[in-house]
Amino acid sequence: MANSQFNVHVKVFEQDVEQFFGSMYHEEDDEYISKLTSAMTHSPNWSTLRVTPKSQDQEMCMEDARDELQSLINDDAHQVIIHPHIPDCLCIQVTGPHKVSLLSNFVVVGKQCGEAVLRGSHVFAPGVIGTSNNIRLNEQVSIMANIDGKMPKGTKVTSEQMLTGHVHVGNGKLLMSREEILQKDSKGVAIQITQPIFNTCSFHSFCDSKHFHFFPQNLPSMLVSHLLDPQYSDKILDMCASPGGKSSHIAALMMRQPRVGQKGQVIACDRSANKVKKLKELMEKLDLSGWVDCMVSDGTKPHQSLARQSFDRVLCDAPCSGLGQRPSLGHTEYNMQKLEQTAHYQRKILKKSVEMVKNNGVLVFSTCTISPLENEENVLWLLKEFNGNGTSLVQLDDIKMPWAHKNEYWCGGLKKLIRDERLMRFDPVVNKESIGFFAARFIVKHFNK
Ligand SMILES: C[S@@+](CC[C@H](N)C(=O)[O-])C[C@H]1O[C@@H](n2cnc3c(N)ncnc32)[C@H](O)[C@@H]1O
Protein backbone atom coordinates (compact mmCIF):
# COMPACT_ATOMS: atom_id res chain seq x y z
CA MET A 1 0.00 0.00 0.00
CA ALA A 2 1.42 3.40 -0.91
CA ASN A 3 1.96 5.69 2.04
CA SER A 4 0.98 9.23 1.22
CA GLN A 5 1.94 10.10 4.81
CA PHE A 6 5.67 9.57 4.23
CA ASN A 7 6.54 13.10 5.23
CA VAL A 8 9.84 12.64 6.94
CA HIS A 9 10.42 15.55 9.27
CA VAL A 10 14.11 16.01 8.80
CA LYS A 11 16.09 19.12 8.03
CA VAL A 12 17.34 18.30 4.54
CA PHE A 13 19.51 21.41 4.00
CA GLU A 14 21.14 23.87 6.39
CA GLN A 15 19.11 27.05 6.72
CA ASP A 16 21.52 29.27 4.77
CA VAL A 17 21.65 26.70 1.94
CA GLU A 18 17.87 26.46 1.85
CA GLN A 19 17.58 30.25 1.74
CA PHE A 20 20.10 30.40 -1.07
CA PHE A 21 18.25 27.75 -3.09
CA GLY A 22 15.03 29.64 -2.40
CA SER A 23 16.52 32.81 -3.86
CA MET A 24 17.64 30.95 -6.97
CA TYR A 25 14.55 28.88 -7.62
CA HIS A 26 11.50 30.94 -7.18
CA GLU A 27 10.07 32.58 -10.20
CA GLU A 28 7.24 30.31 -11.29
CA ASP A 29 6.81 28.25 -8.14
CA ASP A 30 6.99 29.64 -4.64
CA GLU A 31 6.40 26.18 -3.19
CA TYR A 32 9.48 24.86 -4.92
CA ILE A 33 11.62 24.53 -1.78
CA SER A 34 9.07 22.48 0.12
CA LYS A 35 8.68 20.25 -2.96
CA LEU A 36 12.46 19.95 -3.19
CA THR A 37 12.98 18.96 0.45
CA SER A 38 10.22 16.37 0.15
CA ALA A 39 11.69 14.99 -3.10
CA MET A 40 15.09 14.69 -1.44
CA THR A 41 13.76 12.22 1.16
CA HIS A 42 12.19 10.06 -1.57
CA SER A 43 13.86 7.51 -3.78
CA PRO A 44 14.13 8.06 -7.54
CA ASN A 45 11.45 5.91 -9.13
CA TRP A 46 13.86 3.80 -11.17
CA SER A 47 16.90 1.71 -10.30
CA THR A 48 19.23 1.58 -13.26
CA LEU A 49 21.94 -0.79 -14.45
CA ARG A 50 24.38 -0.33 -17.28
CA VAL A 51 24.86 -3.27 -19.62
CA THR A 52 28.12 -4.34 -21.25
CA PRO A 53 28.57 -7.53 -23.26
CA LYS A 54 31.29 -9.69 -21.71
CA SER A 55 33.10 -10.18 -24.97
CA GLN A 56 34.14 -7.33 -27.22
CA ASP A 57 33.00 -9.29 -30.27
CA GLN A 58 29.55 -10.05 -28.91
CA GLU A 59 26.65 -7.97 -30.16
CA MET A 60 24.90 -5.64 -27.80
CA CYS A 61 21.37 -7.00 -27.80
CA MET A 62 19.36 -5.25 -25.11
CA GLU A 63 16.43 -7.70 -25.34
CA ASP A 64 18.80 -10.57 -24.49
CA ALA A 65 20.37 -8.51 -21.70
CA ARG A 66 16.95 -7.69 -20.26
CA ASP A 67 15.91 -11.37 -20.32
CA GLU A 68 19.16 -12.47 -18.68
CA LEU A 69 18.83 -9.85 -15.92
CA GLN A 70 15.18 -10.78 -15.40
CA SER A 71 16.08 -14.44 -14.90
CA LEU A 72 18.94 -13.45 -12.59
CA ILE A 73 16.52 -11.48 -10.41
CA ASN A 74 14.07 -14.37 -10.52
CA ASP A 75 11.23 -12.20 -9.26
CA ASP A 76 8.15 -11.36 -11.33
CA ALA A 77 7.35 -8.38 -9.12
CA HIS A 78 10.37 -6.55 -10.49
CA GLN A 79 10.04 -6.14 -14.23
CA VAL A 80 13.20 -5.16 -16.10
CA ILE A 81 12.63 -2.47 -18.74
CA ILE A 82 14.93 -1.27 -21.52
CA HIS A 83 15.40 2.49 -21.19
CA PRO A 84 13.66 4.16 -24.14
CA HIS A 85 16.46 6.66 -24.80
CA ILE A 86 19.71 5.37 -23.27
CA PRO A 87 21.07 2.56 -25.45
CA ASP A 88 22.82 0.55 -22.71
CA CYS A 89 20.52 1.15 -19.74
CA LEU A 90 18.13 -1.27 -18.03
CA CYS A 91 15.63 0.01 -15.46
CA ILE A 92 13.74 -1.59 -12.61
CA GLN A 93 10.85 0.30 -11.13
CA VAL A 94 11.05 1.42 -7.52
CA THR A 95 7.66 1.40 -5.78
CA GLY A 96 6.71 3.34 -2.68
CA PRO A 97 6.68 4.94 -0.32
CA HIS A 98 4.88 1.95 1.23
CA LYS A 99 3.08 2.08 4.53
CA VAL A 100 5.04 -0.02 7.01
CA SER A 101 3.71 -0.52 10.55
CA LEU A 102 5.83 0.48 13.50
CA LEU A 103 6.61 -2.57 15.65
CA SER A 104 7.15 -2.67 19.39
CA ASN A 105 10.73 -3.92 19.08
CA PHE A 106 13.23 -1.95 17.10
CA VAL A 107 16.85 -1.46 16.18
CA VAL A 108 18.43 1.98 15.90
CA VAL A 109 20.90 2.58 13.07
CA GLY A 110 23.07 5.54 12.06
CA LYS A 111 21.87 8.08 9.50
CA GLN A 112 24.03 6.71 6.69
CA CYS A 113 22.86 3.17 7.35
CA GLY A 114 19.24 4.43 7.38
CA GLU A 115 19.77 6.07 3.98
CA ALA A 116 21.27 2.84 2.64
CA VAL A 117 18.13 0.97 3.83
CA LEU A 118 15.92 3.50 2.02
CA ARG A 119 18.06 2.82 -1.09
CA GLY A 120 17.45 -0.94 -0.87
CA SER A 121 20.21 -2.27 1.37
CA HIS A 122 19.90 -4.70 4.28
CA VAL A 123 21.29 -3.57 7.65
CA PHE A 124 24.92 -4.49 8.24
CA ALA A 125 26.10 -4.91 11.83
CA PRO A 126 28.51 -1.91 11.90
CA GLY A 127 25.59 0.43 11.08
CA VAL A 128 23.66 -0.52 14.26
CA ILE A 129 23.81 1.85 17.25
CA GLY A 130 21.33 0.37 19.71
CA THR A 131 18.28 -1.81 20.18
CA SER A 132 15.15 -1.96 22.30
CA ASN A 133 15.19 -4.34 25.26
CA ASN A 134 14.68 -8.08 24.79
CA ILE A 135 14.95 -8.39 21.04
CA ARG A 136 15.00 -12.01 19.90
CA LEU A 137 16.74 -13.73 17.00
CA ASN A 138 14.54 -14.13 13.88
CA GLU A 139 11.85 -11.74 15.13
CA GLN A 140 10.56 -8.81 13.07
CA VAL A 141 11.86 -5.42 14.19
CA SER A 142 11.43 -1.84 13.02
CA ILE A 143 14.55 -0.02 11.87
CA MET A 144 14.87 3.52 13.17
CA ALA A 145 17.52 5.89 11.78
CA ASN A 146 19.07 8.21 14.33
CA ILE A 147 19.30 11.61 12.68
CA ASP A 148 21.17 13.80 15.15
CA GLY A 149 24.07 11.34 15.50
CA LYS A 150 24.11 11.82 19.26
CA MET A 151 23.13 8.33 20.44
CA PRO A 152 26.13 6.37 21.77
CA LYS A 153 26.75 2.89 20.39
CA GLY A 154 25.38 0.12 22.58
CA THR A 155 22.39 2.10 23.91
CA LYS A 156 19.36 0.13 25.16
CA VAL A 157 16.63 2.30 23.71
CA THR A 158 13.13 3.05 24.96
CA SER A 159 10.13 3.82 22.73
CA GLU A 160 10.00 7.36 24.21
CA GLN A 161 13.44 8.03 22.76
CA MET A 162 12.04 7.22 19.30
CA LEU A 163 9.47 10.00 19.42
CA THR A 164 11.93 12.63 18.18
CA GLY A 165 15.12 12.62 16.09
CA HIS A 166 14.43 9.24 14.49
CA VAL A 167 12.96 8.12 11.16
CA HIS A 168 11.36 4.74 10.58
CA VAL A 169 13.07 3.38 7.45
CA GLY A 170 11.59 -0.13 7.21
CA ASN A 171 11.07 -3.45 9.00
CA GLY A 172 13.18 -6.55 8.88
CA LYS A 173 14.11 -9.90 10.35
CA LEU A 174 16.82 -10.01 12.99
CA LEU A 175 19.62 -12.37 11.93
CA MET A 176 22.00 -11.78 14.87
CA SER A 177 21.61 -11.44 18.62
CA ARG A 178 22.05 -8.02 20.24
CA GLU A 179 25.42 -9.15 21.68
CA GLU A 180 26.66 -10.37 18.29
CA ILE A 181 25.59 -7.20 16.52
CA LEU A 182 27.18 -4.84 19.00
CA GLN A 183 30.44 -6.65 19.60
CA LYS A 184 33.58 -4.95 18.30
CA ASP A 185 34.47 -5.78 14.66
CA SER A 186 31.07 -7.37 14.05
CA LYS A 187 30.43 -7.87 10.32
CA GLY A 188 27.70 -9.13 8.00
CA VAL A 189 23.96 -8.65 7.61
CA ALA A 190 22.32 -8.09 10.99
CA ILE A 191 18.79 -7.42 9.70
CA GLN A 192 17.29 -8.66 6.48
CA ILE A 193 14.79 -6.11 5.21
CA THR A 194 11.36 -7.67 4.71
CA GLN A 195 9.17 -4.55 4.52
CA PRO A 196 10.94 -1.69 2.77
CA ILE A 197 9.56 1.84 2.49
CA PHE A 198 10.84 1.95 -1.11
CA ASN A 199 10.83 -1.40 -2.83
CA THR A 200 13.34 -2.23 -5.49
CA CYS A 201 15.89 -4.81 -6.42
CA SER A 202 19.10 -3.54 -5.00
CA PHE A 203 22.49 -4.23 -6.52
CA HIS A 204 25.48 -3.12 -4.52
CA SER A 205 28.15 -4.20 -6.91
CA PHE A 206 28.16 -5.31 -10.51
CA CYS A 207 26.82 -8.74 -11.34
CA ASP A 208 27.21 -11.07 -14.29
CA SER A 209 24.99 -13.23 -16.41
CA LYS A 210 26.28 -15.64 -19.07
CA HIS A 211 26.85 -12.91 -21.64
CA PHE A 212 26.62 -9.54 -19.88
CA HIS A 213 28.07 -7.42 -17.09
CA PHE A 214 25.37 -5.44 -15.23
CA PHE A 215 26.83 -2.43 -13.52
CA PRO A 216 24.62 -0.49 -11.08
CA GLN A 217 24.94 3.15 -12.07
CA ASN A 218 22.56 6.05 -11.72
CA LEU A 219 20.93 7.29 -14.88
CA PRO A 220 22.62 10.71 -15.27
CA SER A 221 26.06 9.19 -14.61
CA MET A 222 25.42 6.92 -17.57
CA LEU A 223 24.53 9.88 -19.72
CA VAL A 224 27.83 11.59 -18.92
CA SER A 225 29.90 9.01 -20.81
CA HIS A 226 27.51 9.23 -23.77
CA LEU A 227 27.89 13.00 -23.64
CA LEU A 228 31.67 12.63 -23.82
CA ASP A 229 31.06 10.51 -26.95
CA PRO A 230 34.36 8.57 -26.90
CA GLN A 231 35.75 7.29 -30.23
CA TYR A 232 37.80 4.13 -30.86
CA SER A 233 41.20 5.82 -31.19
CA ASP A 234 40.72 8.60 -28.60
CA LYS A 235 43.11 9.36 -25.80
CA ILE A 236 40.85 10.18 -22.87
CA LEU A 237 41.66 11.56 -19.43
CA ASP A 238 39.34 11.01 -16.47
CA MET A 239 40.59 13.51 -13.88
CA CYS A 240 38.64 12.12 -10.86
CA ALA A 241 37.90 8.51 -11.70
CA SER A 242 37.27 6.54 -8.51
CA PRO A 243 35.27 4.32 -8.02
CA GLY A 244 35.43 3.88 -11.82
CA GLY A 245 31.83 3.89 -13.03
CA LYS A 246 32.42 6.42 -15.78
CA SER A 247 35.95 5.29 -16.76
CA SER A 248 34.71 1.74 -17.28
CA HIS A 249 31.71 3.01 -19.22
CA ILE A 250 33.88 5.22 -21.44
CA ALA A 251 36.15 2.24 -22.26
CA ALA A 252 33.14 0.02 -22.96
CA LEU A 253 31.77 2.61 -25.39
CA MET A 254 35.13 3.18 -27.10
CA MET A 255 35.76 -0.46 -27.89
CA ARG A 256 32.42 -0.73 -29.71
CA GLN A 257 33.02 2.25 -31.96
CA PRO A 258 34.08 1.72 -35.60
CA ARG A 259 37.75 0.68 -35.55
CA VAL A 260 39.26 3.70 -37.23
CA GLY A 261 42.93 4.36 -36.44
CA GLN A 262 44.91 2.93 -33.54
CA LYS A 263 43.20 1.58 -30.45
CA GLY A 264 42.67 4.39 -27.92
CA GLN A 265 43.19 4.57 -24.18
CA VAL A 266 41.55 5.91 -21.03
CA ILE A 267 43.80 7.30 -18.29
CA ALA A 268 41.80 7.03 -15.06
CA CYS A 269 43.24 9.22 -12.30
CA ASP A 270 42.43 9.78 -8.68
CA ARG A 271 44.24 11.60 -5.90
CA SER A 272 43.98 8.67 -3.51
CA ALA A 273 46.44 5.75 -3.96
CA ASN A 274 44.09 3.41 -2.17
CA LYS A 275 41.23 4.29 -4.52
CA VAL A 276 43.49 3.83 -7.54
CA LYS A 277 44.34 0.32 -6.31
CA LYS A 278 40.61 -0.47 -6.20
CA LEU A 279 40.12 1.15 -9.62
CA LYS A 280 42.72 -1.23 -11.08
CA GLU A 281 40.99 -4.20 -9.50
CA LEU A 282 37.66 -3.12 -10.98
CA MET A 283 39.13 -2.72 -14.47
CA GLU A 284 40.63 -6.21 -14.20
CA LYS A 285 37.30 -7.71 -13.12
CA LEU A 286 35.58 -6.04 -16.06
CA ASP A 287 38.33 -7.14 -18.51
CA LEU A 288 39.10 -3.52 -19.28
CA SER A 289 42.76 -3.38 -18.21
CA GLY A 290 43.78 -3.28 -21.88
CA TRP A 291 41.81 -0.06 -22.29
CA VAL A 292 42.10 1.74 -18.96
CA ASP A 293 45.37 2.76 -17.27
CA CYS A 294 44.86 3.80 -13.65
CA MET A 295 47.20 6.23 -11.97
CA VAL A 296 47.55 8.43 -8.91
CA SER A 297 47.31 12.04 -10.00
CA ASP A 298 46.01 15.10 -8.20
CA GLY A 299 43.68 17.02 -10.50
CA THR A 300 44.85 20.34 -9.06
CA LYS A 301 48.42 19.53 -10.21
CA PRO A 302 48.28 16.64 -12.67
CA HIS A 303 51.13 14.12 -12.71
CA GLN A 304 54.09 15.26 -14.80
CA SER A 305 53.76 12.25 -17.12
CA LEU A 306 50.42 13.62 -18.35
CA ALA A 307 51.27 15.96 -21.21
CA ARG A 308 49.30 19.19 -21.50
CA GLN A 309 47.05 19.61 -24.57
CA SER A 310 47.40 15.91 -25.41
CA PHE A 311 43.91 14.46 -24.76
CA ASP A 312 41.07 14.27 -27.27
CA ARG A 313 38.52 14.25 -24.46
CA VAL A 314 38.74 15.05 -20.76
CA LEU A 315 36.17 14.25 -18.10
CA CYS A 316 36.11 16.34 -14.93
CA ASP A 317 33.62 14.49 -12.72
CA ALA A 318 34.54 16.68 -9.82
CA PRO A 319 34.39 15.92 -6.10
CA CYS A 320 31.25 17.76 -4.99
CA SER A 321 28.87 18.37 -2.10
CA GLY A 322 26.66 15.48 -3.30
CA LEU A 323 23.50 17.49 -2.59
CA GLY A 324 21.68 15.63 -5.36
CA GLN A 325 22.01 12.24 -3.62
CA ARG A 326 18.67 10.82 -2.53
CA PRO A 327 16.84 9.44 -0.69
CA SER A 328 18.57 11.51 1.95
CA LEU A 329 17.90 11.98 5.65
CA GLY A 330 19.67 15.35 5.62
CA HIS A 331 22.59 16.96 3.82
CA THR A 332 23.34 19.15 6.81
CA GLU A 333 27.10 18.69 6.66
CA TYR A 334 27.16 21.50 4.05
CA ASN A 335 26.57 25.15 4.84
CA MET A 336 27.12 27.99 2.35
CA GLN A 337 30.74 28.43 3.36
CA LYS A 338 31.49 24.76 2.64
CA LEU A 339 29.59 24.93 -0.67
CA GLU A 340 31.72 27.90 -1.69
CA GLN A 341 34.92 26.07 -0.72
CA THR A 342 33.85 23.02 -2.72
CA ALA A 343 33.05 25.13 -5.79
CA HIS A 344 36.44 26.82 -5.47
CA TYR A 345 38.24 23.48 -5.27
CA GLN A 346 36.41 22.32 -8.39
CA ARG A 347 37.65 25.40 -10.25
CA LYS A 348 41.24 24.35 -9.58
CA ILE A 349 40.57 20.94 -11.16
CA LEU A 350 38.55 22.47 -13.99
CA LYS A 351 41.38 24.85 -14.84
CA LYS A 352 43.85 21.96 -15.12
CA SER A 353 41.28 19.94 -17.08
CA VAL A 354 41.17 22.68 -19.73
CA GLU A 355 44.97 22.61 -19.99
CA MET A 356 44.97 18.86 -20.65
CA VAL A 357 42.52 18.99 -23.60
CA LYS A 358 43.92 19.08 -27.16
CA ASN A 359 43.10 22.03 -29.39
CA ASN A 360 39.45 21.57 -30.50
CA GLY A 361 39.03 18.76 -28.00
CA VAL A 362 36.07 18.08 -25.71
CA LEU A 363 35.71 18.72 -21.99
CA VAL A 364 32.79 17.38 -19.95
CA PHE A 365 32.16 18.67 -16.43
CA SER A 366 29.74 16.89 -14.11
CA THR A 367 28.63 16.78 -10.48
CA CYS A 368 26.00 14.93 -8.44
CA THR A 369 24.83 18.06 -6.70
CA ILE A 370 22.05 20.59 -7.21
CA SER A 371 24.14 23.45 -5.81
CA PRO A 372 24.24 26.22 -8.43
CA LEU A 373 27.56 27.42 -7.00
CA GLU A 374 29.18 24.19 -8.09
CA ASN A 375 27.19 23.88 -11.31
CA GLU A 376 25.91 26.88 -13.28
CA GLU A 377 28.15 29.35 -11.43
CA ASN A 378 31.22 27.26 -12.23
CA VAL A 379 30.17 27.09 -15.88
CA LEU A 380 29.93 30.88 -15.96
CA TRP A 381 33.32 31.15 -14.25
CA LEU A 382 34.91 28.75 -16.76
CA LEU A 383 33.53 30.62 -19.78
CA LYS A 384 34.84 33.90 -18.36
CA GLU A 385 38.23 32.55 -17.28
CA PHE A 386 38.88 31.11 -20.75
CA ASN A 387 37.19 33.69 -22.92
CA GLY A 388 39.85 33.76 -25.64
CA ASN A 389 41.62 36.85 -24.38
CA GLY A 390 44.38 34.63 -23.00
CA THR A 391 45.75 31.48 -24.59
CA SER A 392 42.56 29.40 -24.47
CA LEU A 393 38.88 29.65 -25.34
CA VAL A 394 36.26 27.43 -23.73
CA GLN A 395 32.76 27.40 -25.22
CA LEU A 396 29.64 25.42 -24.43
CA ASP A 397 29.31 22.86 -27.19
CA ASP A 398 26.53 23.58 -29.61
CA ILE A 399 24.47 20.50 -28.88
CA LYS A 400 21.03 20.17 -27.40
CA MET A 401 21.42 18.42 -24.10
CA PRO A 402 19.22 15.50 -23.23
CA TRP A 403 17.33 16.27 -20.03
CA ALA A 404 18.20 19.95 -20.18
CA HIS A 405 16.13 21.79 -17.62
CA LYS A 406 13.01 22.97 -19.38
CA ASN A 407 11.48 24.76 -16.39
CA GLU A 408 12.89 28.15 -15.65
CA TYR A 409 13.60 28.14 -11.96
CA TRP A 410 16.74 30.14 -12.47
CA CYS A 411 17.17 33.85 -12.39
CA GLY A 412 19.64 36.41 -13.71
CA GLY A 413 22.40 35.41 -16.09
CA LEU A 414 21.85 31.73 -15.45
CA LYS A 415 18.41 31.70 -16.99
CA LYS A 416 19.80 32.36 -20.43
CA LEU A 417 22.00 29.29 -20.20
CA ILE A 418 19.05 27.16 -19.21
CA ARG A 419 16.98 28.52 -22.07
CA ASP A 420 19.82 27.64 -24.43
CA GLU A 421 19.34 24.02 -23.36
CA ARG A 422 23.07 23.51 -23.30
CA LEU A 423 23.28 22.36 -19.68
CA MET A 424 22.07 19.00 -18.45
CA ARG A 425 20.44 19.45 -15.11
CA PHE A 426 18.49 16.78 -13.27
CA ASP A 427 16.18 18.37 -10.77
CA PRO A 428 14.75 16.01 -8.09
CA VAL A 429 11.38 17.82 -8.22
CA VAL A 430 11.05 17.55 -11.99
CA ASN A 431 13.09 14.44 -12.78
CA LYS A 432 11.45 11.79 -10.63
CA GLU A 433 13.56 9.09 -12.29
CA SER A 434 16.91 10.12 -10.90
CA ILE A 435 19.10 11.75 -8.28
CA GLY A 436 19.96 15.44 -8.66
CA PHE A 437 22.78 15.87 -11.15
CA PHE A 438 24.48 18.32 -13.48
CA ALA A 439 26.66 18.11 -16.60
CA ALA A 440 27.92 20.38 -19.35
CA ARG A 441 30.00 19.77 -22.47
CA PHE A 442 32.57 22.24 -23.81
CA ILE A 443 34.86 22.64 -26.81
CA VAL A 444 38.36 23.88 -25.94
CA LYS A 445 40.57 25.92 -28.25
CA HIS A 446 44.19 26.86 -27.55
CA PHE A 447 46.13 29.67 -29.21
CA ASN A 448 49.70 28.70 -28.52
CA LYS A 449 51.70 31.89 -28.68
C1 LIG B 1 32.47 12.25 -7.88
S1 LIG B 1 33.73 11.17 -7.47
C2 LIG B 1 34.14 10.51 -9.04
C3 LIG B 1 33.23 9.40 -9.46
C4 LIG B 1 33.74 8.65 -10.69
N1 LIG B 1 34.01 9.54 -11.79
C5 LIG B 1 32.81 7.56 -11.14
O1 LIG B 1 32.03 7.75 -12.06
O2 LIG B 1 32.84 6.47 -10.55
C6 LIG B 1 35.06 12.25 -7.18
C7 LIG B 1 36.39 11.58 -6.94
O3 LIG B 1 37.38 12.62 -6.97
C8 LIG B 1 38.46 12.22 -6.17
N2 LIG B 1 39.24 13.44 -5.89
C9 LIG B 1 39.09 14.38 -4.92
N3 LIG B 1 40.00 15.35 -5.06
C10 LIG B 1 40.74 15.02 -6.14
C11 LIG B 1 41.83 15.63 -6.79
N4 LIG B 1 42.37 16.77 -6.36
N5 LIG B 1 42.35 15.01 -7.86
C12 LIG B 1 41.86 13.83 -8.32
N6 LIG B 1 40.83 13.22 -7.74
C13 LIG B 1 40.27 13.80 -6.67
C14 LIG B 1 37.82 11.56 -4.97
O4 LIG B 1 38.73 10.61 -4.45
C15 LIG B 1 36.59 10.90 -5.58
O5 LIG B 1 36.84 9.55 -5.79
Side-chain angles (χ1 to χ4, degrees), residues 215 217 221 224-225 238-248 269-272 275 279 282 296-301 315-320 325 345 348-349 366-368:
F215 193 93
Q217 193 169 30
S221 289
V224 166
S225 308
D238 186 348
M239 298 285 282
C240 307
S242 168
K246 297 184 191 71
S247 283
S248 58
C269 300
D270 204 276
R271 187 177 61 167
S272 147
K275 289 185 178 183
L279 260 179
L282 176 72
V296 179
S297 168
D298 182 336
T300 65
K301 36 183 183 317
L315 172 61
C316 177
D317 186 36
C320 72
Q325 292 291 355
Y345 186 56
K348 289 188 187 174
I349 304 179
S366 55
T367 72
C368 61

